[in-house]
Amino acid sequence: NAGVTQTPKFRVLKTGQSMTLLCAQDMNHEYMYWYRQDPGMGLRLIHYSVGEGTTAKGEVPDGYNVSRLKKQNFLLGLESAAPSQTSVYFCAIGGGRFNEQFFGPGTRLTVL
Amino acid sequence: GENVEQHPSTLSVQEGDSAVIKCTYSDSASNYFPWYKQELGKRPQLIIDIRSNVGEKKDQRIAVTLNKTAKHFSLHITETQPEDSAVYFCAARERLTGGGNKLTFGTGTQLKVEL
């Protein structure tokens, strides 16, 4: 898990503001994922990437965009934040020898 | 797509007792089933997993069983301790047609181990 970092750890936004969350890994894994976690709803997949330059939609992609220009970084963007996007966001990486998935430390986002 | 159901949503046991959490999945093509433990304010941590060619796997006090025919799998924790108190998530992994794979998670079980 030490190989996955997320920036920032906390953020408060006003409705309509934009921001970008950064996930960085040093484990050279192919797959990267963005989840959101809300009380009672588990972890829901927003977008994912199976390799550098590729992205795809998950279960709850609306209101978010992503990019993976470099293998080690996966960015999640909110163009116009809404209160419904208040959540904890986790990045995860997957692949490697046993194809396990590991999570980053999370970003707590509040939209007022 | 895959759908994973997890029960119970909350579980309270006495220290030293066993705890069992059950999950069902819908996609028979899913072939890997991890379990994650999440302590308050922390990230989910992988604690054990099982692949579809295995029926049971143990690691000290925790074990996971898989019934492919019935499409369900379970987490068993024996001799529970206060530090086992956390939220536990099951997941099922499906392969993607374009390559790679993704996990679908259950909604979690809040386990409380009481002294």
Side-chain angles (χ1 to χ4, degrees):
Chain A
N1 286 341
V4 188
T5 59
Q6 290 184 234
T7 309
K9 291 184 171 56
F10 304 94
R11 185 73 186 269
V12 178
L13 290 178
K14 294 181 180 178
T15 297
Q17 288 185 316
S18 63
M19 76 163 295
T20 300
L21 284 68
L22 169 64
C23 176
Q25 57 134 337
D26 62 4
M27 299 177 73
N28 202 36
H29 281 0
E30 287 296 327
Y31 314 139
M32 298 186 77
Y33 309 86
W34 276 108
Y35 294 90
R36 61 177 289 172
Q37 185 174 37
D38 303 292
M41 302 191 74
L43 292 146
R44 294 183 294 168
L45 184 64
I46 305 171
H47 286 281
Y48 62 94
S49 169
V50 299
E52 181 180 321
T54 73
T55 63
K57 294 180 180 179
E59 299 173 61
V60 288
D62 293 344
Y64 304 95
N65 56 75
V66 288
S67 65
R68 190 152 176 219
L69 299 179
K70 294 182 179 180
K71 185 178 183 179
Q72 63 268 34
N73 295 338
F74 195 29
L75 281 71
L76 177 71
L78 286 73
E79 291 186 349
S80 179
S84 61
Q85 294 178 303
T86 293
S87 188
V88 179
Y89 292 85
F90 285 101
C91 171
I93 63 173
R97 182 181 174 191
F98 298 106
N99 214 0
E100 297 162 341
Q101 194 169 128
F102 298 105
F103 285 85
T107 295
R108 184 172 295 275
L109 175 66
T110 301
V111 183
L112 302 175
Chain B
E2 178 64 273
N3 182 51
V4 177
E5 294 190 358
Q6 182 172 348
H7 299 281
S9 57
T10 61
L11 179 59
S12 185
V13 299
Q14 294 292 119
E15 183 180 8
D17 287 350
S18 295
V20 181
I21 302 170
K22 298 182 179 182
C23 290
T24 61
Y25 62 99
S26 61
D27 188 350
S28 57
S30 290
N31 61 2
Y32 171 73
F33 307 91
W35 287 87
Y36 288 82
K37 175 184 180 181
Q38 186 178 29
E39 296 175 347
L40 189 62
K42 302 283 184 66
R43 75 186 82 188
Q45 298 264 14
L46 178 66
I47 57 170
I48 195 167
D49 55 21
I50 191 165
R51 298 171 198 276
S52 58
N53 58 346
V54 175
E56 183 176 1
K57 182 177 178 181
K58 285 185 179 180
D59 183 3
Q60 299 184 332
R61 295 186 299 107
I62 61 173
V64 58
T65 59
L66 171 65
N67 183 327
K68 284 190 65 180
T69 302
K71 288 190 276 189
H72 67 70
F73 56 112
S74 301
L75 177 72
H76 303 253
I77 306 174
T78 59
E79 300 173 18
T80 53
Q81 301 168 3
E83 51 264 38
D84 294 329
S85 295
V87 178
Y88 292 80
F89 292 98
C90 64
R93 186 173 72 191
E94 55 183 301
R95 287 183 179 166
L96 301 168
T97 52
N101 56 72
K102 69 182 182 82
L103 294 177
T104 299
F105 285 85
T107 50
T109 297
Q110 174 75 61
L111 173 64
K112 184 177 181 181
V113 180
E114 298 177 335
L115 298 172

